[in-house]
Amino acid sequence: GSATVNGVRATKVSASSTNGSVVANDVAADDVALSTTSGNVGTSGINAKTLAAHTMNGSVSAQSIAADSVSFDTTSGNVTSDNMTAGSLDARTINGSIDMTSLDAALASFGTGSGHVNATFVGSADDYRIDAQSTHGNVHAPQGNASASKQVTASAMNGSITLGFVGGGAATGSSDAGRSAPSAPGAP
């Protein structure tokens, strides 16, 4: 069956299911652990030191998350998030895509075997060291800043990667970001 946790304030919150969804809403805790073997994991309004969500056959979705450390993984399913602030984020799927919007993370790592990675960060690409690689897919990501304190790493085996940055006045998309075009030659 399913497991649901709503409006809990605690040191540790753990919810699991074998064959059903796991949902946690409006939870404040040091540690939040959510897992299911076959089903989706959904979260909203989580404030935690650590948040871990795991499923084998299902998707992980999250909205309005604030945590020091976040770990999302699924074997077969998508990972989605909107409005997350995290010290570190690790999002993994073997057969599925990763889609994240309004993300603010000091360290973000994404990985998928078959699927795309789309992530939009709050702030400037110049705030991040960026490493994005796809074996069989396109990569659309700015260069970032090699000496930045924040870092994003994204990898895909069979899928494209798109990393965007909103706000902060930085480049948002192509690997030519920050390069200027050559000047036209002067008239004779």
Side-chain angles (χ1 to χ4, degrees):
S2 298
T4 302
V5 177
N6 288 316
V8 174
R9 307 291 180 260
T11 302
K12 182 172 183 160
V13 173
S14 180
S16 63
S17 174
T18 303
N19 289 306
S21 63
V22 176
V23 177
N25 297 311
D26 189 28
V27 173
D30 288 344
D31 300 306
V32 177
L34 310 170
S35 67
T36 183
T37 303
S38 184
N40 297 327
V41 177
T43 65
S44 178
I46 305 293
N47 189 335
K49 287 183 182 176
T50 63
L51 169 60
H54 169 76
T55 181
M56 295 279 294
N57 294 304
S59 294
V60 176
S61 64
Q63 292 184 350
S64 302
I65 305 298
D68 293 339
S69 174
V70 176
S71 174
F72 293 154
D73 70 278
T74 179
T75 302
S76 183
N78 298 324
V79 177
T80 60
S81 172
D82 180 44
N83 191 21
M84 180 188 303
T85 301
S88 66
L89 165 66
D90 185 48
R92 306 265 166 222
T93 180
I94 294 174
N95 293 306
S97 294
I98 299 170
D99 290 292
M100 302 213 164
T101 57
S102 297
L103 175 61
D104 184 359
L107 176 61
S109 179
F110 308 108
T112 182
S114 293
H116 65 258
V117 174
N118 290 330
T120 304
F121 291 82
V122 175
S124 167
D126 289 336
D127 295 336
Y128 287 86
R129 286 176 285 150
I130 298 171
D131 180 12
Q133 299 179 14
S134 179
T135 306
H136 301 285
N138 297 318
V139 174
H140 303 282
Q143 285 182 314
N145 177 351
S147 62
S149 61
K150 294 180 177 183
Q151 180 175 348
V152 59
T153 304
S155 63
M157 181 68 74
N158 294 304
S160 296
I161 297 172
T162 303
L163 302 177
F165 296 82
V166 194
T172 59
S174 86
S175 58
D176 293 333
R179 297 182 190 156
S180 58
S183 301

